[in-house]
Amino acid sequence: MLKVEESQLVETVKGRRSIKKFQSTSVDKQLVVDLLNDAVWAPNHGVREPWRFMLFTGEGKETIVDALQNECERGKLSTKNPDKLIERYRHIPAHLVVVMEESEKKKIWEEDFAATSALIQNLQLLGWEQGLGMIWKTNQYINSGSFCEDIGVQEDEKIVGIIHMGYPEEIPEAKERKKAEDKLTFVNKKESLT
């Protein structure tokens, strides 16, 4: 079998890390726009493009901070240390909230959720190539109607993730992955798999 050198894409996929600690350097809004314009090429059934984005930077981050504080006051923020979480949100240079239109049809909802998730992965990979670190967060409060209302998410939308972004303060070591062969079933002929 011919062994081909790893492509830049493979290096990016394997090299990307979820970043939890960011430098205080601000993130250029135009860079985020440019990355999103490339990320939207994610596969999406019927080219429905079910996503919408909200970028919170600078003083705009206080909108999310206020929403978290409101959740805390309502007793809906399930974290051991809400003050620490809120300060962390203030320190992160940018928060991109990625929402999708919700369909009542299960098939369309699942397709749109998968497409929006693919877009987020595209965004993370494209950002990594530019030296921009991200982490995709799906904390329970993204499902709170009051939190969503406080930050401007519409009733017919779902937050797929809040993407914290900035320039990495530190890059974690890679964690080993299982080989695909260990989780792959080959089916060469029609037979019962049970």
Side-chain angles (χ1 to χ4, degrees):
M1 181 182 224
L2 179 62
K3 178 85 173 162
V4 180
E5 286 187 46
E6 287 190 353
S7 71
Q8 179 63 41
L9 177 58
V10 171
E11 288 179 29
T12 302
V13 168
K14 289 182 174 181
R16 187 207 60 80
R17 299 285 172 272
S18 292
I19 302 301
K20 296 179 182 176
K21 294 184 178 181
F22 300 95
Q23 299 173 21
S24 59
T25 309
S26 63
V27 175
D28 181 64
K29 292 176 194 169
Q30 189 57 51
L31 173 60
V32 176
V33 170
D34 292 344
L35 292 172
L36 285 169
N37 277 325
D38 290 333
V40 298
W41 287 88
N44 64 101
H45 191 80
V47 194
R48 283 194 295 267
E49 301 180 277
W51 43 71
R52 182 171 75 86
F53 316 104
M54 302 165 68
L55 182 62
F56 298 86
T57 61
E59 291 179 11
K61 293 187 294 184
E62 289 301 310
T63 301
I64 286 186
V65 167
D66 290 346
L68 288 172
Q69 287 174 329
N70 291 343
E71 289 298 286
C72 189
E73 290 168 10
R74 293 177 187 119
K76 292 183 176 181
L77 193 59
S78 59
T79 183
K80 293 175 185 171
N81 192 339
D83 292 337
K84 185 176 179 181
L85 175 71
I86 288 166
E87 273 314 303
R88 186 175 178 315
Y89 267 70
R90 280 193 173 114
H91 177 72
I92 296 168
H95 306 283
L96 181 73
V97 177
V98 180
V99 301
M100 66 172 238
E101 298 171 18
E102 289 210 86
S103 174
E104 292 180 10
K105 296 180 180 176
K106 184 176 189 242
K107 180 179 186 293
I108 291 174
W109 191 98
E110 289 175 347
E111 289 170 349
D112 289 351
F113 186 82
T116 306
S117 297
L119 175 140
I120 291 172
Q121 175 68 355
N122 282 357
L123 176 68
Q124 291 180 320
L125 294 171
L126 292 162
W128 192 257
E129 287 186 331
Q130 299 296 318
L132 191 62
M134 301 181 200
I135 188 166
W136 178 356
K137 301 298 283 184
T138 56
N139 300 68
Q140 186 57 38
Y141 50 81
I142 70 170
N143 297 307
S144 163
S146 52
F147 176 81
C148 290
E149 184 179 342
D150 286 350
I151 66 168
V153 175
Q154 306 300 313
E155 282 186 26
D156 62 344
E157 294 178 322
K158 172 183 180 40
I159 297 176
V160 178
I162 297 179
I163 314 304
H164 302 315
M165 57 177 64
Y167 295 95
E169 187 173 291
E170 61 183 51
I171 298 174
E173 292 292 319
K175 292 183 181 173
E176 197 61 36
R177 302 297 203 268
K178 290 182 181 177
K179 294 285 186 188
E181 301 91 289
D182 296 340
K183 294 186 172 256
L184 177 62
T185 302
F186 289 96
V187 182
N188 307 12
K189 61 183 180 178
K190 186 177 179 181
E191 60 185 49
S192 173
L193 298 177
T194 58

Tab-separated table of all heavy atoms in Angstrom, residues 22-79:
chain	number	residue	atom	x	y	z
A	22	PHE	N	-7.304	31.485	27.669
A	22	PHE	CA	-7.046	32.404	26.566
A	22	PHE	C	-6.221	33.602	27.022
A	22	PHE	O	-6.323	34.042	28.166
A	22	PHE	CB	-8.372	32.928	25.995
A	22	PHE	CG	-9.266	31.852	25.455
A	22	PHE	CD1	-10.263	31.295	26.232
A	22	PHE	CD2	-9.110	31.394	24.158
A	22	PHE	CE1	-11.096	30.299	25.747
A	22	PHE	CE2	-9.933	30.404	23.651
A	22	PHE	CZ	-10.933	29.857	24.448
A	23	GLN	N	-5.439	34.132	26.073
A	23	GLN	CA	-4.770	35.406	26.307
A	23	GLN	C	-5.846	36.493	26.321
A	23	GLN	O	-6.956	36.299	25.825
A	23	GLN	CB	-3.770	35.701	25.181
A	23	GLN	CG	-2.665	34.684	25.048
A	23	GLN	CD	-1.821	34.942	23.810
A	23	GLN	OE1	-1.795	36.045	23.270
A	23	GLN	NE2	-1.141	33.905	23.350
A	24	SER	N	-5.518	37.650	26.836
A	24	SER	CA	-6.503	38.736	26.889
A	24	SER	C	-6.622	39.478	25.559
A	24	SER	O	-7.500	40.319	25.402
A	24	SER	CB	-6.139	39.714	28.011
A	24	SER	OG	-4.852	40.248	27.781
A	25	THR	N	-5.793	39.151	24.590
A	25	THR	CA	-5.827	39.793	23.273
A	25	THR	C	-7.213	39.665	22.653
A	25	THR	O	-7.793	38.576	22.631
A	25	THR	CB	-4.801	39.131	22.323
A	25	THR	OG1	-3.533	39.095	22.973
A	25	THR	CG2	-4.701	39.856	21.006
A	26	SER	N	-7.745	40.774	22.150
A	26	SER	CA	-9.078	40.728	21.545
A	26	SER	C	-9.034	39.986	20.204
A	26	SER	O	-7.993	39.861	19.574
A	26	SER	CB	-9.633	42.141	21.355
A	26	SER	OG	-8.826	42.859	20.453
A	27	VAL	N	-10.181	39.499	19.800
A	27	VAL	CA	-10.326	38.783	18.540
A	27	VAL	C	-10.926	39.745	17.524
A	27	VAL	O	-11.953	40.376	17.788
A	27	VAL	CB	-11.240	37.548	18.716
A	27	VAL	CG1	-11.495	36.863	17.382
A	27	VAL	CG2	-10.629	36.574	19.719
A	28	ASP	N	-10.290	39.847	16.375
A	28	ASP	CA	-10.752	40.741	15.324
A	28	ASP	C	-12.099	40.238	14.768
A	28	ASP	O	-12.208	39.081	14.362
A	28	ASP	CB	-9.704	40.804	14.200
A	28	ASP	CG	-10.114	41.736	13.093
A	28	ASP	OD1	-10.234	42.945	13.342
A	28	ASP	OD2	-10.338	41.239	11.955
A	29	LYS	N	-13.091	41.106	14.774
A	29	LYS	CA	-14.419	40.715	14.312
A	29	LYS	C	-14.410	40.276	12.856
A	29	LYS	O	-15.119	39.343	12.480
A	29	LYS	CB	-15.404	41.881	14.497
A	29	LYS	CG	-15.692	42.199	15.938
A	29	LYS	CD	-16.588	43.419	16.060
A	29	LYS	CE	-16.584	43.920	17.489
A	29	LYS	NZ	-17.210	45.222	17.621
A	30	GLN	N	-13.604	40.944	12.040
A	30	GLN	CA	-13.559	40.579	10.619
A	30	GLN	C	-12.984	39.181	10.426
A	30	GLN	O	-13.411	38.455	9.535
A	30	GLN	CB	-12.758	41.602	9.811
A	30	GLN	CG	-12.854	41.392	8.303
A	30	GLN	CD	-14.294	41.423	7.790
A	30	GLN	OE1	-15.048	42.345	8.072
A	30	GLN	NE2	-14.696	40.388	7.043
A	31	LEU	N	-12.039	38.792	11.284
A	31	LEU	CA	-11.510	37.427	11.216
A	31	LEU	C	-12.623	36.425	11.476
A	31	LEU	O	-12.752	35.425	10.758
A	31	LEU	CB	-10.371	37.229	12.225
A	31	LEU	CG	-9.844	35.798	12.367
A	31	LEU	CD1	-9.291	35.274	11.047
A	31	LEU	CD2	-8.804	35.719	13.478
A	32	VAL	N	-13.454	36.686	12.463
A	32	VAL	CA	-14.562	35.782	12.770
A	32	VAL	C	-15.527	35.724	11.584
A	32	VAL	O	-15.965	34.640	11.180
A	32	VAL	CB	-15.297	36.197	14.062
A	32	VAL	CG1	-16.501	35.300	14.322
A	32	VAL	CG2	-14.339	36.160	15.251
A	33	VAL	N	-15.830	36.861	10.991
A	33	VAL	CA	-16.715	36.893	9.822
A	33	VAL	C	-16.110	36.072	8.690
A	33	VAL	O	-16.797	35.254	8.049
A	33	VAL	CB	-16.985	38.346	9.373
A	33	VAL	CG1	-17.702	38.387	8.029
A	33	VAL	CG2	-17.794	39.091	10.426
A	34	ASP	N	-14.821	36.264	8.431
A	34	ASP	CA	-14.151	35.520	7.355
A	34	ASP	C	-14.183	34.016	7.619
A	34	ASP	O	-14.443	33.219	6.710
A	34	ASP	CB	-12.706	35.991	7.188
A	34	ASP	CG	-12.607	37.426	6.657
A	34	ASP	OD1	-13.621	37.955	6.134
A	34	ASP	OD2	-11.518	38.014	6.779
A	35	LEU	N	-13.916	33.629	8.863
A	35	LEU	CA	-13.944	32.207	9.218
A	35	LEU	C	-15.348	31.632	9.031
A	35	LEU	O	-15.518	30.526	8.510
A	35	LEU	CB	-13.474	32.011	10.661
A	35	LEU	CG	-12.010	32.313	10.947
A	35	LEU	CD1	-11.743	32.263	12.443
A	35	LEU	CD2	-11.079	31.369	10.201
A	36	LEU	N	-16.361	32.387	9.457
A	36	LEU	CA	-17.738	31.917	9.302
A	36	LEU	C	-18.127	31.795	7.834
A	36	LEU	O	-18.833	30.863	7.441
A	36	LEU	CB	-18.714	32.848	10.031
A	36	LEU	CG	-18.724	32.706	11.547
A	36	LEU	CD1	-19.521	33.846	12.179
A	36	LEU	CD2	-19.274	31.354	11.975
A	37	ASN	N	-17.655	32.732	6.999
A	37	ASN	CA	-17.965	32.664	5.570
A	37	ASN	C	-17.389	31.415	4.919
A	37	ASN	O	-17.932	30.922	3.927
A	37	ASN	CB	-17.500	33.926	4.844
A	37	ASN	CG	-18.507	35.046	4.953
A	37	ASN	OD1	-19.711	34.813	4.956
A	37	ASN	ND2	-18.022	36.257	5.066
A	38	ASP	N	-16.302	30.886	5.466
A	38	ASP	CA	-15.753	29.618	4.970
A	38	ASP	C	-16.440	28.433	5.646
A	38	ASP	O	-16.717	27.421	5.010
A	38	ASP	CB	-14.238	29.557	5.201
A	38	ASP	CG	-13.485	30.535	4.308
A	38	ASP	OD1	-13.987	30.878	3.216
A	38	ASP	OD2	-12.389	30.966	4.700
A	39	ALA	N	-16.745	28.562	6.929
A	39	ALA	CA	-17.349	27.458	7.682
A	39	ALA	C	-18.744	27.098	7.174
A	39	ALA	O	-19.172	25.945	7.284
A	39	ALA	CB	-17.406	27.807	9.172
A	40	VAL	N	-19.468	28.065	6.602
A	40	VAL	CA	-20.838	27.805	6.147
A	40	VAL	C	-20.906	26.839	4.962
A	40	VAL	O	-21.987	26.425	4.568
A	40	VAL	CB	-21.607	29.109	5.790
A	40	VAL	CG1	-21.758	30.000	7.001
A	40	VAL	CG2	-20.965	29.837	4.631
A	41	TRP	N	-19.751	26.437	4.466
A	41	TRP	CA	-19.729	25.454	3.381
A	41	TRP	C	-19.899	24.034	3.932
A	41	TRP	O	-19.681	23.047	3.222
A	41	TRP	CB	-18.459	25.600	2.548
A	41	TRP	CG	-18.547	26.831	1.700
A	41	TRP	CD1	-18.166	28.094	2.042
A	41	TRP	CD2	-19.110	26.927	0.405
A	41	TRP	NE1	-18.450	28.976	1.022
A	41	TRP	CE2	-19.034	28.276	0.000
A	41	TRP	CE3	-19.680	26.003	-0.471
A	41	TRP	CZ2	-19.496	28.719	-1.227
A	41	TRP	CZ3	-20.139	26.451	-1.705
A	41	TRP	CH2	-20.045	27.793	-2.067
A	42	ALA	N	-20.299	23.915	5.166
A	42	ALA	CA	-20.591	22.600	5.763
A	42	ALA	C	-21.743	21.960	4.991
A	42	ALA	O	-22.633	22.658	4.493
A	42	ALA	CB	-20.976	22.771	7.228
A	43	PRO	N	-21.740	20.623	4.903
A	43	PRO	CA	-22.869	19.966	4.244
A	43	PRO	C	-24.155	20.243	5.012
A	43	PRO	O	-24.173	20.157	6.237
A	43	PRO	CB	-22.502	18.475	4.290
A	43	PRO	CG	-21.449	18.354	5.331
A	43	PRO	CD	-20.768	19.681	5.442
A	44	ASN	N	-25.195	20.646	4.285
A	44	ASN	CA	-26.494	20.841	4.932
A	44	ASN	C	-27.589	20.522	3.927
A	44	ASN	O	-27.620	21.045	2.828
A	44	ASN	CB	-26.626	22.235	5.558
A	44	ASN	CG	-26.597	23.376	4.584
A	44	ASN	OD1	-27.635	23.927	4.241
A	44	ASN	ND2	-25.416	23.747	4.113
A	45	HIS	N	-28.450	19.611	4.341
A	45	HIS	CA	-29.467	19.047	3.463
A	45	HIS	C	-30.335	20.150	2.853
A	45	HIS	O	-30.841	21.016	3.556
A	45	HIS	CB	-30.338	18.069	4.242
A	45	HIS	CG	-31.238	17.256	3.367
A	45	HIS	ND1	-30.789	16.148	2.688
A	45	HIS	CD2	-32.536	17.406	3.041
A	45	HIS	CE1	-31.785	15.643	1.981
A	45	HIS	NE2	-32.860	16.390	2.188
A	46	GLY	N	-30.481	20.096	1.552
A	46	GLY	CA	-31.314	21.073	0.857
A	46	GLY	C	-30.762	22.487	0.906
A	46	GLY	O	-31.470	23.435	0.596
A	47	VAL	N	-29.528	22.628	1.302
A	47	VAL	CA	-28.887	23.940	1.504
A	47	VAL	C	-29.836	24.850	2.286
A	47	VAL	O	-30.073	25.995	1.933
A	47	VAL	CB	-28.427	24.574	0.169
A	47	VAL	CG1	-27.483	25.738	0.411
A	47	VAL	CG2	-27.737	23.551	-0.727
A	48	ARG	N	-30.370	24.301	3.386
A	48	ARG	CA	-31.290	25.077	4.223
A	48	ARG	C	-30.565	26.137	5.033
A	48	ARG	O	-31.179	27.104	5.474
A	48	ARG	CB	-32.073	24.141	5.161
A	48	ARG	CG	-33.185	23.390	4.479
A	48	ARG	CD	-34.130	22.746	5.471
A	48	ARG	NE	-33.514	21.710	6.268
A	48	ARG	CZ	-33.507	20.416	5.968
A	48	ARG	NH1	-34.085	20.000	4.864
A	48	ARG	NH2	-32.941	19.543	6.766
A	49	GLU	N	-29.279	25.930	5.278
A	49	GLU	CA	-28.493	26.868	6.086
A	49	GLU	C	-29.279	27.287	7.340
A	49	GLU	O	-29.637	28.452	7.497
A	49	GLU	CB	-28.082	28.086	5.260
A	49	GLU	CG	-27.248	27.702	4.048
A	49	GLU	CD	-26.835	28.877	3.209
A	49	GLU	OE1	-27.653	29.311	2.368
A	49	GLU	OE2	-25.717	29.377	3.406
A	50	PRO	N	-29.502	26.344	8.248
A	50	PRO	CA	-30.399	26.587	9.374
A	50	PRO	C	-29.788	27.413	10.503
A	50	PRO	O	-30.422	27.596	11.538
A	50	PRO	CB	-30.682	25.156	9.864
A	50	PRO	CG	-29.421	24.411	9.560
A	50	PRO	CD	-28.942	24.989	8.250
A	51	TRP	N	-28.595	27.910	10.337
A	51	TRP	CA	-27.860	28.540	11.426
A	51	TRP	C	-27.954	30.059	11.443
A	51	TRP	O	-28.279	30.702	10.445
A	51	TRP	CB	-26.401	28.139	11.348
A	51	TRP	CG	-25.862	28.163	9.939
A	51	TRP	CD1	-25.599	29.253	9.151
A	51	TRP	CD2	-25.529	27.033	9.138
A	51	TRP	NE1	-25.129	28.871	7.922
A	51	TRP	CE2	-25.074	27.507	7.892
A	51	TRP	CE3	-25.554	25.650	9.362
A	51	TRP	CZ2	-24.655	26.641	6.868
A	51	TRP	CZ3	-25.145	24.812	8.346
A	51	TRP	CH2	-24.697	25.313	7.120
A	52	ARG	N	-27.657	30.591	12.614
A	52	ARG	CA	-27.522	32.034	12.817
A	52	ARG	C	-26.462	32.203	13.898
A	52	ARG	O	-26.248	31.310	14.725
A	52	ARG	CB	-28.857	32.638	13.257
A	52	ARG	CG	-28.831	34.146	13.440
A	52	ARG	CD	-30.241	34.696	13.662
A	52	ARG	NE	-30.768	34.424	14.989
A	52	ARG	CZ	-30.556	35.193	16.059
A	52	ARG	NH1	-29.790	36.280	15.985
A	52	ARG	NH2	-31.105	34.902	17.226
A	53	PHE	N	-25.786	33.355	13.889
A	53	PHE	CA	-24.665	33.574	14.803
A	53	PHE	C	-24.838	34.884	15.570
A	53	PHE	O	-25.364	35.853	15.036
A	53	PHE	CB	-23.341	33.647	14.021
A	53	PHE	CG	-23.217	32.595	12.960
A	53	PHE	CD1	-23.399	32.908	11.623
A	53	PHE	CD2	-22.947	31.287	13.310
A	53	PHE	CE1	-23.294	31.936	10.647
A	53	PHE	CE2	-22.843	30.300	12.346
A	53	PHE	CZ	-23.018	30.624	11.005
A	54	MET	N	-24.363	34.866	16.811
A	54	MET	CA	-24.355	36.068	17.636
A	54	MET	C	-22.966	36.153	18.256
A	54	MET	O	-22.566	35.242	18.980
A	54	MET	CB	-25.427	35.962	18.726
A	54	MET	CG	-26.825	35.746	18.173
A	54	MET	SD	-27.996	35.188	19.452
A	54	MET	CE	-28.082	36.655	20.449
A	55	LEU	N	-22.245	37.233	17.972
A	55	LEU	CA	-20.878	37.389	18.474
A	55	LEU	C	-20.872	38.428	19.595
A	55	LEU	O	-21.273	39.577	19.399
A	55	LEU	CB	-19.936	37.820	17.346
A	55	LEU	CG	-18.461	37.977	17.719
A	55	LEU	CD1	-17.866	36.652	18.195
A	55	LEU	CD2	-17.672	38.531	16.526
A	56	PHE	N	-20.407	38.003	20.770
A	56	PHE	CA	-20.341	38.864	21.944
A	56	PHE	C	-18.873	39.162	22.240
A	56	PHE	O	-18.111	38.251	22.568
A	56	PHE	CB	-20.999	38.186	23.153
A	56	PHE	CG	-22.463	37.907	22.964
A	56	PHE	CD1	-22.889	36.738	22.342
A	56	PHE	CD2	-23.416	38.803	23.401
A	56	PHE	CE1	-24.242	36.467	22.169
A	56	PHE	CE2	-24.767	38.562	23.236
A	56	PHE	CZ	-25.181	37.381	22.613
A	57	THR	N	-18.488	40.419	22.098
A	57	THR	CA	-17.111	40.846	22.371
A	57	THR	C	-17.157	42.143	23.175
A	57	THR	O	-18.205	42.778	23.291
A	57	THR	CB	-16.312	41.091	21.070
A	57	THR	OG1	-16.952	42.143	20.329
A	57	THR	CG2	-16.221	39.848	20.215
A	58	GLY	N	-16.006	42.539	23.704
A	58	GLY	CA	-15.919	43.803	24.429
A	58	GLY	C	-17.000	43.916	25.484
A	58	GLY	O	-17.280	42.975	26.222
A	59	GLU	N	-17.643	45.081	25.534
A	59	GLU	CA	-18.718	45.298	26.502
A	59	GLU	C	-19.929	44.413	26.227
A	59	GLU	O	-20.737	44.153	27.116
A	59	GLU	CB	-19.131	46.768	26.504
A	59	GLU	CG	-18.063	47.694	27.070
A	59	GLU	CD	-18.489	49.157	27.042
A	59	GLU	OE1	-19.679	49.446	26.789
A	59	GLU	OE2	-17.614	50.011	27.284
A	60	GLY	N	-20.042	43.934	24.992
A	60	GLY	CA	-21.152	43.048	24.632
A	60	GLY	C	-21.149	41.744	25.409
A	60	GLY	O	-22.197	41.099	25.557
A	61	LYS	N	-19.982	41.354	25.924
A	61	LYS	CA	-19.901	40.131	26.723
A	61	LYS	C	-20.745	40.239	27.987
A	61	LYS	O	-21.189	39.229	28.535
A	61	LYS	CB	-18.447	39.819	27.098
A	61	LYS	CG	-17.581	39.440	25.916
A	61	LYS	CD	-16.200	38.987	26.338
A	61	LYS	CE	-15.397	40.090	26.967
A	61	LYS	NZ	-14.014	39.686	27.289
A	62	GLU	N	-20.986	41.466	28.435
A	62	GLU	CA	-21.789	41.657	29.643
A	62	GLU	C	-23.220	41.165	29.455
A	62	GLU	O	-23.905	40.847	30.425
A	62	GLU	CB	-21.771	43.121	30.084
A	62	GLU	CG	-20.432	43.568	30.645
A	62	GLU	CD	-19.991	42.743	31.861
A	62	GLU	OE1	-20.786	42.569	32.815
A	62	GLU	OE2	-18.831	42.257	31.860
A	63	THR	N	-23.690	41.089	28.211
A	63	THR	CA	-25.026	40.542	27.951
A	63	THR	C	-25.093	39.093	28.419
A	63	THR	O	-26.046	38.678	29.082
A	63	THR	CB	-25.367	40.635	26.446
A	63	THR	OG1	-25.312	42.010	26.045
A	63	THR	CG2	-26.749	40.075	26.145
A	64	ILE	N	-24.056	38.316	28.066
A	64	ILE	CA	-24.013	36.919	28.495
A	64	ILE	C	-23.782	36.836	30.004
A	64	ILE	O	-24.411	36.026	30.691
A	64	ILE	CB	-22.940	36.136	27.714
A	64	ILE	CG1	-23.444	35.886	26.287
A	64	ILE	CG2	-22.604	34.820	28.393
A	64	ILE	CD1	-22.574	35.001	25.441
A	65	VAL	N	-22.897	37.668	30.513
A	65	VAL	CA	-22.618	37.687	31.957
A	65	VAL	C	-23.901	37.989	32.731
A	65	VAL	O	-24.222	37.310	33.707
A	65	VAL	CB	-21.501	38.701	32.284
A	65	VAL	CG1	-21.412	38.964	33.777
A	65	VAL	CG2	-20.158	38.197	31.745
A	66	ASP	N	-24.645	39.006	32.283
A	66	ASP	CA	-25.914	39.352	32.944
A	66	ASP	C	-26.903	38.183	32.882
A	66	ASP	O	-27.600	37.899	33.862
A	66	ASP	CB	-26.543	40.591	32.301
A	66	ASP	CG	-25.764	41.866	32.592
A	66	ASP	OD1	-24.898	41.848	33.503
A	66	ASP	OD2	-26.009	42.876	31.899
A	67	ALA	N	-26.946	37.505	31.724
A	67	ALA	CA	-27.859	36.367	31.574
A	67	ALA	C	-27.473	35.240	32.532
A	67	ALA	O	-28.351	34.602	33.129
A	67	ALA	CB	-27.847	35.873	30.127
A	68	LEU	N	-26.176	35.012	32.703
A	68	LEU	CA	-25.718	33.989	33.653
A	68	LEU	C	-26.074	34.378	35.093
A	68	LEU	O	-26.517	33.536	35.883
A	68	LEU	CB	-24.212	33.773	33.527
A	68	LEU	CG	-23.740	33.046	32.265
A	68	LEU	CD1	-22.226	33.075	32.176
A	68	LEU	CD2	-24.256	31.620	32.227
A	69	GLN	N	-25.881	35.666	35.404
A	69	GLN	CA	-26.235	36.133	36.749
A	69	GLN	C	-27.739	35.973	36.995
A	69	GLN	O	-28.153	35.570	38.080
A	69	GLN	CB	-25.787	37.582	36.943
A	69	GLN	CG	-24.283	37.702	37.097
A	69	GLN	CD	-23.790	39.130	37.154
A	69	GLN	OE1	-24.364	40.041	36.558
A	69	GLN	NE2	-22.687	39.333	37.874
A	70	ASN	N	-28.538	36.285	35.980
A	70	ASN	CA	-29.990	36.103	36.095
A	70	ASN	C	-30.344	34.639	36.332
A	70	ASN	O	-31.225	34.337	37.139
A	70	ASN	CB	-30.708	36.625	34.846
A	70	ASN	CG	-30.642	38.130	34.722
A	70	ASN	OD1	-30.355	38.831	35.686
A	70	ASN	ND2	-30.888	38.631	33.520
A	71	GLU	N	-29.669	33.737	35.619
A	71	GLU	CA	-29.915	32.302	35.806
A	71	GLU	C	-29.571	31.887	37.227
A	71	GLU	O	-30.266	31.081	37.835
A	71	GLU	CB	-29.106	31.472	34.806
A	71	GLU	CG	-29.594	31.558	33.379
A	71	GLU	CD	-31.005	31.045	33.205
A	71	GLU	OE1	-31.221	29.816	33.238
A	71	GLU	OE2	-31.927	31.875	33.047
A	72	CYS	N	-28.494	32.453	37.741
A	72	CYS	CA	-28.070	32.157	39.112
A	72	CYS	C	-29.146	32.613	40.098
A	72	CYS	O	-29.526	31.872	41.003
A	72	CYS	CB	-26.743	32.842	39.393
A	72	CYS	SG	-26.005	32.342	40.946
A	73	GLU	N	-29.654	33.825	39.913
A	73	GLU	CA	-30.697	34.363	40.791
A	73	GLU	C	-31.984	33.554	40.699
A	73	GLU	O	-32.724	33.451	41.677
A	73	GLU	CB	-30.958	35.832	40.444
A	73	GLU	CG	-29.805	36.738	40.832
A	73	GLU	CD	-29.921	38.138	40.245
A	73	GLU	OE1	-30.992	38.484	39.694
A	73	GLU	OE2	-28.922	38.891	40.322
A	74	ARG	N	-32.249	32.988	39.531
A	74	ARG	CA	-33.448	32.162	39.354
A	74	ARG	C	-33.245	30.748	39.903
A	74	ARG	O	-34.154	29.929	39.864
A	74	ARG	CB	-33.788	32.058	37.856
A	74	ARG	CG	-34.216	33.346	37.214
A	74	ARG	CD	-34.447	33.129	35.710
A	74	ARG	NE	-34.702	34.367	35.038
A	74	ARG	CZ	-33.940	34.881	34.054
A	74	ARG	NH1	-32.884	34.234	33.612
A	74	ARG	NH2	-34.240	36.033	33.505
A	75	GLY	N	-32.019	30.447	40.316
A	75	GLY	CA	-31.696	29.108	40.813
A	75	GLY	C	-31.544	28.086	39.708
A	75	GLY	O	-31.643	26.881	39.934
A	76	LYS	N	-31.275	28.561	38.485
A	76	LYS	CA	-31.182	27.663	37.335
A	76	LYS	C	-29.744	27.397	36.886
A	76	LYS	O	-29.534	26.643	35.947
A	76	LYS	CB	-31.943	28.250	36.149
A	76	LYS	CG	-33.436	28.304	36.329
A	76	LYS	CD	-34.072	28.822	35.065
A	76	LYS	CE	-35.580	28.816	35.132
A	76	LYS	NZ	-36.171	29.297	33.883
A	77	LEU	N	-28.774	28.018	37.527
A	77	LEU	CA	-27.376	27.849	37.116
A	77	LEU	C	-26.758	26.758	37.976
A	77	LEU	O	-26.464	26.966	39.149
A	77	LEU	CB	-26.616	29.167	37.269
A	77	LEU	CG	-25.250	29.242	36.606
A	77	LEU	CD1	-25.351	28.996	35.105
A	77	LEU	CD2	-24.625	30.600	36.858
A	78	SER	N	-26.605	25.577	37.395
A	78	SER	CA	-26.079	24.445	38.169
A	78	SER	C	-24.553	24.389	38.045
A	78	SER	O	-24.007	23.711	37.199
A	78	SER	CB	-26.700	23.135	37.679
A	78	SER	OG	-26.417	22.945	36.316
A	79	THR	N	-23.909	25.166	38.886
A	79	THR	CA	-22.452	25.139	38.968
A	79	THR	C	-22.068	25.376	40.418
A	79	THR	O	-22.780	26.071	41.148
A	79	THR	CB	-21.806	26.193	38.034
A	79	THR	OG1	-20.398	26.081	38.111
A	79	THR	CG2	-22.231	27.599	38.376
